[in-house]
Amino acid sequence: MAQSSAGIKLYYGQSTDGKAKPATWTEIPDVTAIPALGGEPNMLDCTPLSETVQKQYIPGLKDPGGALGYTVNMTPDMLTATDAASTPPTAPAKIAFAVEFPAPLNCYYWYFGTGVNVTPGETEVDAVVTSTFYTSVESTITKVTGPVTPPAGK
């Protein structure tokens, strides 16, 4: 079954040692779009001199583009959350971000990064004011099965 975009959530959390995923996560509300999380790998030419028809490649380092941009509605709750997610913790702690997909995928992807404070984006007459919450990507993006926050009693 294909995944619907309904119920996808963005979270931030603080890893106290800067290595392990955070023990607790806080939702960043009012996200209306997420970026592609994969990152395109550089392709390294490994064509031997004996090849006469076509070049050959192997994947190199992935490049997420330097920043991931999440489209957000400008709301007080979103600003409170993104401001907190953009405040650098005291080392060795680090901020992490997670994008949760409900069933049928039932997993989330998380990474270490730095948030950038949100400012209002472009707008026009009779429109919702939106912006983009940018985060750097400072680690590999890791998949975890299950929800970000386990249901109560689990």
Side-chain angles (χ1 to χ4, degrees), residues 87-146:
T87 303
T90 304
K94 289 185 181 179
I95 297 291
F97 298 93
V99 178
E100 178 182 57
F101 295 85
L105 291 182
N106 191 35
C107 67
Y108 64 96
Y109 295 82
W110 76 276
Y111 61 94
F112 287 115
T114 301
V116 177
N117 291 95
V118 175
T119 56
E122 292 182 26
T123 193
E124 56 191 46
V125 172
D126 200 26
V128 173
V129 178
T130 63
S131 190
T132 305
F133 174 54
Y134 292 101
T135 70
S136 63
V137 180
E138 300 171 12
S139 69
T140 57
I141 297 175
T142 304
K143 178 184 174 186
V144 177
T145 300

Side-chain angles (χ1 to χ4, degrees), residues 48-65:
L49 291 173
S50 60
E51 178 60 48
T52 61
V53 178
Q54 181 173 317
K55 286 189 170 191
Q56 299 173 14
Y57 295 89
I58 59 172
L61 297 175
K62 281 187 170 183
D63 185 358

Side-chain angles (χ1 to χ4, degrees), residues 6 13 15 19 25-26 32 36 39 47-48 67 77-78 88 93 103 112 114 118 123 132 145 148 150 153:
S15 169
K19 296 176 185 173
W25 296 92
T26 301
T32 62
T47 308
D77 289 343
M78 179 280 301
F112 287 115
T114 301
V118 175
T123 193
T132 305
T145 300
V148 167

